[in-house]
Amino acid sequence: MRTYLVTGGAGFIGSNYIHYMFRKYDNEIRIINVDALTYAGNLENLEDLRNRDNYTFIKADITDKASIEKIFAENDIDRVVHFAAESHVDRSIRDPEVFVHTNVLGTAVMLNAAKAAWENPDGTFKEDRKFLHVSTDEVYGSLPDDGKSYFYETTPYSPHSPYSASKAGSDLLVRSYMDTYHFPANITNTSNNYGPYQFPEKLIPLLINNALAGRELPVYGDGMNIRDWLYVDDHAKGIDMVQEHGRLFETYNIGGHNEKRNIEIVNIVIETLLELLPDDDPRKKNVSKDLIKYIEDRKGHDRRYAIAPDKIKKEIGWEPETMFADGIKKTIKWYLEHQEWLSHVTSGDYQNYYDTMYKDR
Ligand code: NAD
Ligand code: TYD
């Protein structure tokens, strides 16, 4: 039975990935989820897995070398899938240091611990051990708004935000391990994900949460920035396919060919909420396009991201499967049915975050 060490599995993509893996492999695999449970980590996301014999949660910080080494010493790990990170651009603009600490140092600790556990005395590595580093297309910087240029695996790194700079640093560390030690790894760089369990600091769940409560829908700048949206299950599938069928030491970009301007997303979210909410739901009267409010732009705001997923399609046969119209409906339906989840994650610290981030803009 293959054993996976998943970092950051209590976050948005990590928890969706773990669910995907158990749906796909059921009892053929074992998953150890290592997460520090920061503001973004939520064990409620994995509540249904608690009684599985082949699932273990360990609360640990990836920057804590001793804890991570202990996990490797006590478990024979075959696969590492490394999600744990500070992931929100706006937070990184306010407080960059924790991004460097978690994303760069944390990745170094993970790499070092895996290397030590997997290395043979002659410097080769034990059979069939693989490390997958989950990263973002934001490391490539910003594309012109021309509808025809794309990020490729060969695009030079040009990160602009402290978040993307820290992710670029972590990617380069992984590359250095592959180049220096022949460490068995892959890197995936993925476009913006959406789906269930996303923390409502990110655009789509923030819009849903605010609209339901009749609060303003903050649109940065002119609302014309473009993101390339990918349904989170398609991402989970892509990660698994890269790890099992990709060429080791390679980077694969995972993206949806699904570019949308932010203002389009805002309009789609409002329209879908109005369509899905029954007339007798008291939240429906709150939802309106009048809530849209253009506010001061994000500092250093990247204009456009877009991935051409040619390599992963050609080599591995992965393609996005979820049409945006279906994915956004599924997502909004999930949030409507999980108001309690939303209330839990937005109580306490979230309110302070929101007040600090959006006041005076
Ligand atoms: P998230 O913020 O929802 O979750 C991050 C998780 O990591 C949380 O559970 C948190 O508790 C955990 N974590 C943070 N610091 C930790 C530490 N020091 N030790 C252990 N655990 C820690 O993030 P996400 O959106 O699920 O993103 C997951 C990964 O995917 C990140 O590496 C991110 O850069 C990358 N990514 C995200 C997107 C996206 O659209 N969300 C797109 C491309 C790549
Ligand atoms: P976000 O979800 O933070 O993802 P990223 O910055 O990693 O792409 O933001 C997506 C886009 O939406 C980005 O262009 C910034 C914009 N945005 C708003 O206009 N208003 C908001 O309140 C937020 C959170 C984001």
Side-chain angles (χ1 to χ4, degrees), residues 7-15 33-42 45 58-64 68 82-88 98 101-103 106 133-138 163 167 170 188-194 197-199 201-202 229-230 232 235 239 254:
T7 70
F12 163 49
I13 306 176
S15 59
N33 172 17
V34 175
D35 197 300
L37 299 182
T38 68
Y39 78 93
N42 183 357
N45 301 359
I58 300 175
K59 184 172 185 305
D61 190 316
I62 55 163
T63 64
D64 176 358
I68 299 300
H82 177 37
F83 293 98
E86 288 292 334
S87 68
H88 189 39
V98 65
H101 186 72
T102 295
N103 299 359
H133 175 63
V134 179
S135 192
T136 166
D137 62 354
E138 302 188 25
Y163 163 66
K167 290 298 289 187
S170 67
T188 52
N189 295 92
T190 309
S191 59
N192 287 62
N193 282 218
Y194 69 101
Y197 303 113
Q198 187 168 30
F199 191 76
E201 63 186 354
K202 305 281 167 50
W229 295 92
L230 178 69
V232 65
H235 185 191
I239 287 171
I254 309 182

Coordinates of all heavy atoms in Angstrom, one line a residue, residues 7-15 33-42 45 58-64 68 82-88 98 101-103 106 133-138 163 167 170 188-194 197-199 201-202 229-230 232 235 239 254, ligand 1:
T7 N 1.1 17.7 2.7 CA 1.2 18.9 3.6 C 0.1 19.8 3.2 O -0.3 20.0 2.1 CB 2.5 19.6 3.5 OG1 2.6 20.2 2.2 CG2 3.7 18.6 3.7
G8 N -0.4 20.5 4.2 CA -1.5 21.5 4.0 C -2.8 20.9 3.5 O -3.6 21.6 2.8
G9 N -3.0 19.7 4.0 CA -4.3 19.0 3.6 C -5.5 19.5 4.2 O -6.6 19.1 3.8
A10 N -5.4 20.4 5.2 CA -6.6 21.0 5.8 C -7.0 22.3 5.1 O -8.0 22.9 5.5 CB -6.4 21.2 7.3
G11 N -6.3 22.7 4.1 CA -6.6 23.9 3.3 C -7.6 23.6 2.2 O -8.1 22.5 2.1
F12 N -7.7 24.6 1.3 CA -8.7 24.4 0.2 C -8.3 23.3 -0.8 O -9.1 22.3 -0.9 CB -8.8 25.8 -0.5 CG -9.4 25.8 -1.8 CD1 -10.6 25.2 -2.1 CD2 -8.8 26.5 -2.9 CE1 -11.2 25.2 -3.4 CE2 -9.3 26.5 -4.2 CZ -10.5 25.8 -4.4
I13 N -7.2 23.5 -1.4 CA -6.9 22.5 -2.5 C -6.5 21.1 -1.8 O -6.9 20.1 -2.3 CB -5.8 23.0 -3.4 CG1 -6.2 24.4 -4.0 CG2 -5.6 22.0 -4.6 CD1 -5.1 25.0 -4.9
G14 N -5.7 21.2 -0.7 CA -5.3 20.0 -0.1 C -6.5 19.1 0.3 O -6.4 17.9 0.1
S15 N -7.5 19.7 0.9 CA -8.6 18.9 1.4 C -9.4 18.3 0.2 O -9.9 17.2 0.2 CB -9.6 19.7 2.3 OG -10.1 20.8 1.7
N33 N -1.9 13.4 6.7 CA -2.1 14.8 6.4 C -1.4 15.7 7.5 O -1.7 15.6 8.7 CB -3.6 15.1 6.4 CG -3.9 16.6 6.3 OD1 -3.1 17.4 5.9 ND2 -5.2 16.9 6.6
V34 N -0.4 16.4 7.1 CA 0.4 17.2 8.0 C 0.0 18.7 7.8 O 0.3 19.2 6.7 CB 1.9 17.0 7.8 CG1 2.7 18.0 8.7 CG2 2.3 15.6 8.1
D35 N -0.5 19.3 8.8 CA -1.0 20.7 8.7 C -0.8 21.4 10.0 O -1.1 20.9 11.0 CB -2.4 20.7 8.2 CG -2.9 22.0 7.6 OD1 -2.8 23.0 8.3 OD2 -3.3 22.0 6.4
A36 N -0.4 22.7 9.9 CA -0.2 23.5 11.2 C -1.5 24.1 11.6 O -1.6 24.7 12.7 CB 0.8 24.6 10.9
L37 N -2.6 24.0 10.8 CA -3.9 24.6 11.1 C -3.7 26.1 11.4 O -4.1 26.6 12.5 CB -4.6 23.9 12.3 CG -4.9 22.4 12.0 CD1 -5.6 21.8 13.2 CD2 -5.7 22.2 10.8
T38 N -3.2 26.8 10.4 CA -3.3 28.3 10.5 C -4.7 28.7 10.2 O -5.6 27.9 10.1 CB -2.4 28.9 9.3 OG1 -3.0 28.6 8.1 CG2 -1.0 28.3 9.3
Y39 N -4.9 30.0 10.1 CA -6.3 30.5 9.9 C -6.9 29.8 8.7 O -8.1 29.7 8.6 CB -6.2 32.1 9.6 CG -5.8 32.4 8.2 CD1 -6.7 32.6 7.2 CD2 -4.4 32.4 7.9 CE1 -6.3 32.8 5.9 CE2 -4.0 32.7 6.6 CZ -4.9 32.9 5.6 OH -4.5 33.1 4.3
A40 N -6.1 29.3 7.7 CA -6.6 28.8 6.5 C -6.9 27.3 6.6 O -7.4 26.7 5.7 CB -5.6 29.1 5.3
G41 N -6.4 26.7 7.6 CA -6.6 25.2 7.8 C -7.8 24.9 8.6 O -8.0 25.5 9.7
N42 N -8.6 24.0 8.2 CA -9.8 23.7 8.8 C -10.1 22.2 8.8 O -10.4 21.7 7.7 CB -10.9 24.5 8.1 CG -12.3 24.4 8.8 OD1 -12.4 23.6 9.8 ND2 -13.2 25.1 8.3
N45 N -13.1 20.5 7.1 CA -13.1 20.1 5.6 C -12.9 18.6 5.5 O -13.2 18.0 4.4 CB -11.9 20.7 4.9 CG -11.9 22.3 5.0 OD1 -12.9 22.8 5.5 ND2 -10.9 22.9 4.4
I58 N -1.8 14.8 11.4 CA -0.8 15.2 12.3 C -0.7 16.7 12.3 O -0.5 17.3 11.2 CB 0.6 14.6 12.0 CG1 0.5 13.0 12.0 CG2 1.6 15.1 13.0 CD1 1.8 12.4 11.6
K59 N -0.9 17.3 13.5 CA -0.8 18.8 13.5 C 0.7 19.1 13.7 O 1.3 18.8 14.7 CB -1.6 19.4 14.7 CG -1.5 20.9 14.7 CD -2.5 21.4 15.8 CE -2.7 22.9 15.9 NZ -1.5 23.7 16.1
A60 N 1.3 19.7 12.6 CA 2.7 20.0 12.7 C 3.0 21.1 11.7 O 2.3 21.3 10.7 CB 3.6 18.8 12.4
D61 N 4.1 21.9 12.0 CA 4.5 23.0 11.2 C 5.6 22.5 10.3 O 6.6 22.0 10.8 CB 4.9 24.1 12.1 CG 5.1 25.4 11.4 OD1 5.7 25.4 10.3 OD2 4.7 26.5 11.9
I62 N 5.5 22.8 9.0 CA 6.5 22.3 8.0 C 7.8 23.0 8.3 O 8.9 22.6 7.7 CB 6.1 22.5 6.6 CG1 5.7 23.9 6.2 CG2 5.0 21.5 6.2 CD1 5.6 24.2 4.7
T63 N 7.9 24.1 9.0 CA 9.2 24.7 9.3 C 9.8 24.1 10.5 O 11.0 24.5 10.8 CB 9.0 26.3 9.5 OG1 8.2 26.5 10.6 CG2 8.4 26.9 8.3
D64 N 9.1 23.2 11.2 CA 9.7 22.6 12.4 C 10.4 21.3 12.0 O 9.8 20.2 11.8 CB 8.5 22.3 13.3 CG 8.9 21.6 14.6 OD1 10.1 21.2 14.7 OD2 8.0 21.3 15.4
I68 N 9.0 17.3 11.4 CA 8.9 16.7 10.1 C 9.8 15.5 9.9 O 9.4 14.4 9.4 CB 9.2 17.8 9.0 CG1 8.2 18.9 9.1 CG2 9.3 17.2 7.6 CD1 6.8 18.6 8.9
H82 N 3.1 18.3 -1.7 CA 3.4 19.5 -0.8 C 2.5 20.7 -1.2 O 2.9 21.5 -2.1 CB 4.9 19.8 -0.9 CG 5.3 21.0 -0.2 ND1 4.8 21.3 1.1 CD2 6.3 21.9 -0.4 CE1 5.4 22.4 1.5 NE2 6.3 22.8 0.6
F83 N 1.4 20.9 -0.4 CA 0.6 22.0 -0.6 C 0.8 23.1 0.4 O 0.5 24.3 0.1 CB -0.9 21.6 -0.4 CG -1.5 20.7 -1.4 CD1 -1.6 19.3 -1.1 CD2 -2.0 21.1 -2.6 CE1 -2.1 18.4 -2.0 CE2 -2.6 20.2 -3.5 CZ -2.7 18.9 -3.2
A84 N 1.3 22.8 1.6 CA 1.3 23.8 2.7 C 2.0 25.0 2.3 O 3.1 25.0 1.8 CB 1.9 23.2 3.9
A85 N 1.3 26.2 2.5 CA 1.9 27.4 2.1 C 1.0 28.5 2.7 O -0.2 28.3 3.0 CB 2.0 27.6 0.6
E86 N 1.5 29.7 2.8 CA 0.7 30.9 2.9 C 0.3 31.3 1.4 O 1.2 31.3 0.6 CB 1.5 32.1 3.5 CG 1.8 31.9 5.0 CD 0.5 32.0 5.8 OE1 -0.4 32.7 5.4 OE2 0.5 31.4 6.9
S87 N -1.0 31.5 1.2 CA -1.5 31.5 -0.2 C -2.2 32.7 -0.7 O -2.6 32.8 -1.8 CB -2.4 30.3 -0.4 OG -3.6 30.5 0.4
H88 N -2.3 33.7 0.2 CA -3.1 34.9 -0.3 C -2.3 36.1 -0.6 O -1.6 36.7 0.3 CB -4.2 35.2 0.8 CG -5.2 36.1 0.3 ND1 -5.7 36.2 -1.0 CD2 -5.9 37.1 0.9 CE1 -6.6 37.1 -1.1 NE2 -6.7 37.7 0.0
V98 N 6.1 36.1 6.8 CA 5.6 34.8 7.1 C 5.5 34.0 5.8 O 5.6 32.7 5.8 CB 4.2 34.8 7.8 CG1 3.1 35.5 6.9 CG2 3.7 33.5 8.3
H101 N 9.0 32.7 5.3 CA 9.2 31.7 6.3 C 8.6 30.3 5.9 O 9.2 29.3 5.8 CB 8.7 32.2 7.7 CG 9.0 31.3 8.8 ND1 10.3 31.1 9.4 CD2 8.3 30.4 9.6 CE1 10.3 30.3 10.3 NE2 9.1 29.8 10.5
T102 N 7.3 30.4 5.7 CA 6.5 29.1 5.5 C 6.9 28.6 4.1 O 7.2 27.4 3.9 CB 5.0 29.4 5.5 OG1 4.7 29.7 6.9 CG2 4.2 28.1 5.1
N103 N 6.8 29.4 3.1 CA 6.9 28.9 1.7 C 8.3 28.5 1.3 O 8.5 27.5 0.6 CB 6.3 30.0 0.7 CG 4.8 30.3 1.0 OD1 4.2 29.7 1.9 ND2 4.2 31.1 0.2
G106 N 9.9 26.4 4.8 CA 9.1 25.2 5.0 C 9.4 24.2 3.8 O 9.5 23.0 4.1
H133 N 5.7 19.1 -5.8 CA 5.6 20.5 -5.2 C 4.5 21.2 -5.9 O 4.6 21.4 -7.2 CB 7.0 21.2 -5.4 CG 7.0 22.6 -4.9 ND1 6.8 23.0 -3.6 CD2 7.2 23.7 -5.6 CE1 6.8 24.3 -3.5 NE2 7.1 24.8 -4.7
V134 N 3.5 21.6 -5.2 CA 2.4 22.3 -5.8 C 2.7 23.8 -5.8 O 2.8 24.4 -4.8 CB 1.1 22.0 -5.0 CG1 -0.1 22.8 -5.6 CG2 0.8 20.5 -4.9
S135 N 2.7 24.4 -7.0 CA 2.9 25.8 -7.1 C 1.9 26.5 -8.0 O 0.9 25.9 -8.4 CB 4.4 26.1 -7.6 OG 4.7 27.4 -7.4
T136 N 2.2 27.7 -8.3 CA 1.3 28.6 -8.9 C 1.8 29.2 -10.3 O 3.0 29.3 -10.4 CB 0.9 29.8 -8.0 OG1 0.2 30.8 -8.7 CG2 2.2 30.4 -7.4
D137 N 0.9 29.6 -11.1 CA 1.3 30.2 -12.4 C 1.8 31.7 -12.1 O 2.3 32.3 -13.0 CB 0.2 30.2 -13.5 CG -1.1 30.9 -13.0 OD1 -1.2 31.4 -11.9 OD2 -2.0 31.0 -13.9
E138 N 1.5 32.2 -10.9 CA 1.8 33.6 -10.6 C 3.4 33.8 -10.6 O 3.8 34.9 -10.7 CB 1.2 34.0 -9.3 CG -0.3 33.9 -9.3 CD -1.1 34.4 -8.1 OE1 -0.6 35.3 -7.5 OE2 -2.2 33.9 -7.9
Y163 N 3.9 37.0 -2.3 CA 3.4 35.6 -2.4 C 4.1 34.9 -3.5 O 4.7 33.9 -3.3 CB 1.9 35.6 -2.5 CG 1.4 34.3 -3.0 CD1 1.5 33.1 -2.3 CD2 0.8 34.2 -4.3 CE1 1.0 31.9 -2.7 CE2 0.3 32.9 -4.8 CZ 0.5 31.8 -4.0 OH 0.0 30.6 -4.5
K167 N 6.8 31.8 -3.6 CA 6.5 30.5 -4.3 C 7.6 30.3 -5.3 O 8.1 29.1 -5.5 CB 5.2 30.5 -5.0 CG 4.0 30.5 -4.1 CD 3.9 29.3 -3.2 CE 3.5 28.0 -3.9 NZ 3.3 26.8 -3.0
S170 N 10.5 28.9 -3.6 CA 10.3 27.5 -3.2 C 10.5 26.6 -4.5 O 11.1 25.5 -4.4 CB 9.0 27.2 -2.5 OG 7.9 27.4 -3.4
T188 N 4.3 21.4 -10.2 CA 3.2 21.8 -11.0 C 2.9 23.3 -10.7 O 2.9 23.7 -9.6 CB 1.9 21.0 -10.6 OG1 1.7 21.0 -9.2 CG2 2.1 19.5 -11.1
N189 N 2.7 24.0 -11.8 CA 2.3 25.4 -11.7 C 0.9 25.6 -12.2 O 0.6 25.3 -13.4 CB 3.3 26.3 -12.4 CG 4.7 26.3 -11.9 OD1 5.5 25.4 -12.3 ND2 4.9 27.1 -10.9
T190 N 0.0 26.0 -11.3 CA -1.4 25.9 -11.7 C -2.1 27.3 -11.6 O -1.7 28.1 -10.8 CB -2.1 25.0 -10.7 OG1 -1.4 23.7 -10.7 CG2 -3.6 24.7 -11.1
S191 N -3.1 27.5 -12.4 CA -3.9 28.7 -12.4 C -4.9 28.8 -11.2 O -5.0 27.8 -10.4 CB -4.6 28.9 -13.7 OG -5.5 27.8 -13.9
N192 N -5.6 29.9 -11.2 CA -6.6 30.1 -10.0 C -7.6 28.9 -9.9 O -8.3 28.6 -10.9 CB -7.3 31.4 -10.2 CG -6.5 32.6 -10.0 OD1 -5.5 32.8 -10.7 ND2 -6.8 33.4 -9.0
N193 N -7.7 28.4 -8.7 CA -8.7 27.3 -8.5 C -9.9 27.9 -7.9 O -9.9 28.9 -7.2 CB -8.1 26.3 -7.4 CG -7.1 25.3 -8.0 OD1 -7.1 24.2 -7.6 ND2 -6.2 25.8 -8.9
Y194 N -11.0 27.2 -8.1 CA -12.3 27.5 -7.4 C -13.0 26.2 -7.1 O -12.7 25.2 -7.7 CB -13.2 28.4 -8.2 CG -13.7 27.8 -9.5 CD1 -15.1 27.4 -9.5 CD2 -13.0 27.6 -10.6 CE1 -15.6 26.7 -10.6 CE2 -13.5 27.0 -11.7 CZ -14.8 26.6 -11.7 OH -15.3 25.9 -12.8
Y197 N -14.9 24.5 -0.1 CA -13.9 24.6 1.0 C -12.8 25.7 0.7 O -11.8 25.7 1.3 CB -13.1 23.3 1.2 CG -13.9 22.1 1.5 CD1 -14.0 21.0 0.6 CD2 -14.6 21.9 2.7 CE1 -14.7 19.9 0.9 CE2 -15.3 20.8 3.0 CZ -15.4 19.8 2.1 OH -16.1 18.6 2.4
Q198 N -13.1 26.7 -0.2 CA -12.1 27.7 -0.3 C -12.4 28.8 0.7 O -13.6 29.3 0.8 CB -12.2 28.3 -1.8 CG -11.0 29.3 -2.0 CD -10.8 29.7 -3.5 OE1 -11.8 29.7 -4.2 NE2 -9.6 30.0 -3.9
F199 N -11.4 29.3 1.3 CA -11.6 30.3 2.4 C -12.0 31.6 1.8 O -11.5 32.1 0.8 CB -10.2 30.5 3.1 CG -10.3 31.3 4.4 CD1 -10.8 30.7 5.5 CD2 -9.9 32.6 4.4 CE1 -10.9 31.5 6.7 CE2 -10.0 33.3 5.6 CZ -10.5 32.8 6.7
E201 N -11.5 34.6 1.7 CA -10.6 35.8 1.5 C -10.4 35.9 0.0 O -10.0 36.9 -0.6 CB -9.3 35.7 2.2 CG -8.5 34.5 1.8 CD -7.2 34.2 2.6 OE1 -6.9 35.0 3.4 OE2 -6.6 33.2 2.3
K202 N -10.5 34.7 -0.7 CA -10.3 34.7 -2.2 C -11.5 35.1 -2.9 O -12.7 35.0 -2.4 CB -9.9 33.2 -2.6 CG -8.7 32.6 -1.8 CD -7.4 33.2 -2.3 CE -6.2 32.9 -1.4 NZ -6.0 31.5 -0.9
W229 N -9.5 30.3 -14.7 CA -10.1 29.6 -13.5 C -10.2 28.1 -13.8 O -10.7 27.6 -14.8 CB -11.5 30.1 -13.2 CG -11.4 31.5 -12.7 CD1 -11.5 32.7 -13.5 CD2 -11.2 32.0 -11.4 NE1 -11.3 33.8 -12.7 CE2 -11.1 33.4 -11.4 CE3 -11.0 31.3 -10.2 CZ2 -10.9 34.1 -10.2 CZ3 -10.8 32.1 -9.0 CH2 -10.7 33.5 -9.1
L230 N -9.8 27.3 -12.8 CA -9.8 25.8 -12.9 C -10.5 25.2 -11.7 O -10.3 25.6 -10.6 CB -8.3 25.3 -12.8 CG -8.1 23.8 -12.9 CD1 -8.4 23.3 -14.3 CD2 -6.6 23.5 -12.6
V232 N -11.4 22.8 -8.8 CA -10.4 22.2 -7.9 C -10.2 20.7 -8.1 O -9.1 20.2 -8.0 CB -10.7 22.6 -6.5 CG1 -12.0 22.0 -6.0 CG2 -9.5 22.2 -5.6
H235 N -7.9 20.0 -10.9 CA -6.5 20.2 -10.4 C -6.0 19.0 -9.6 O -4.9 18.4 -9.9 CB -6.4 21.4 -9.5 CG -5.1 21.8 -9.0 ND1 -4.8 22.7 -8.1 CD2 -3.8 21.4 -9.4 CE1 -3.5 22.9 -7.8 NE2 -2.9 22.0 -8.6
I239 N -2.7 16.7 -10.5 CA -1.6 16.4 -9.6 C -1.3 14.9 -9.6 O -0.2 14.4 -9.7 CB -1.9 16.9 -8.2 CG1 -1.9 18.5 -8.2 CG2 -1.0 16.3 -7.1 CD1 -2.4 19.1 -6.9
I254 N -0.7 23.4 -15.1 CA -2.1 22.9 -15.1 C -3.0 24.1 -15.1 O -3.0 24.9 -14.2 CB -2.3 22.0 -13.8 CG1 -1.2 21.0 -13.6 CG2 -3.7 21.4 -13.9 CD1 -1.5 20.1 -12.4
Ligands
NAD1 P1 -4.9 27.5 1.7 O1 -4.4 28.7 2.2 O2 -6.4 27.2 1.5 O3 -4.3 26.2 2.5 C1 -3.0 26.2 3.0 C2 -2.9 25.1 4.1 O4 -1.5 25.1 4.5 C3 -3.7 25.4 5.3 O5 -4.4 24.2 5.7 C4 -2.7 25.8 6.3 O6 -3.1 25.5 7.7 C5 -1.5 25.0 5.9 N1 -0.3 25.7 6.4 C6 0.1 27.0 6.3 N2 1.3 27.2 6.8 C7 1.7 26.0 7.3 C8 2.9 25.5 8.0 N3 3.9 26.4 8.3 N4 3.0 24.2 8.3 C9 2.0 23.3 7.9 N5 0.9 23.7 7.3 C10 0.7 25.0 7.0 O7 -4.2 27.3 0.3 P2 -4.7 26.6 -1.1 O8 -5.4 27.6 -1.9 O9 -5.3 25.3 -0.8 O10 -3.3 26.3 -1.8 C11 -2.5 25.2 -1.6 C12 -1.3 25.2 -2.4 O11 -1.6 25.4 -3.8 C13 -0.3 26.4 -2.1 O12 1.0 25.9 -2.1 C14 -0.6 27.4 -3.2 O13 0.5 28.2 -3.4 C15 -0.9 26.5 -4.3 N6 -1.8 27.1 -5.4 C16 -3.0 27.6 -5.0 C17 -3.9 28.1 -6.0 C18 -5.2 28.6 -5.7 O14 -5.9 29.1 -6.6 N7 -5.7 28.6 -4.5 C19 -3.4 28.1 -7.4 C20 -2.2 27.5 -7.7 C21 -1.4 27.0 -6.7

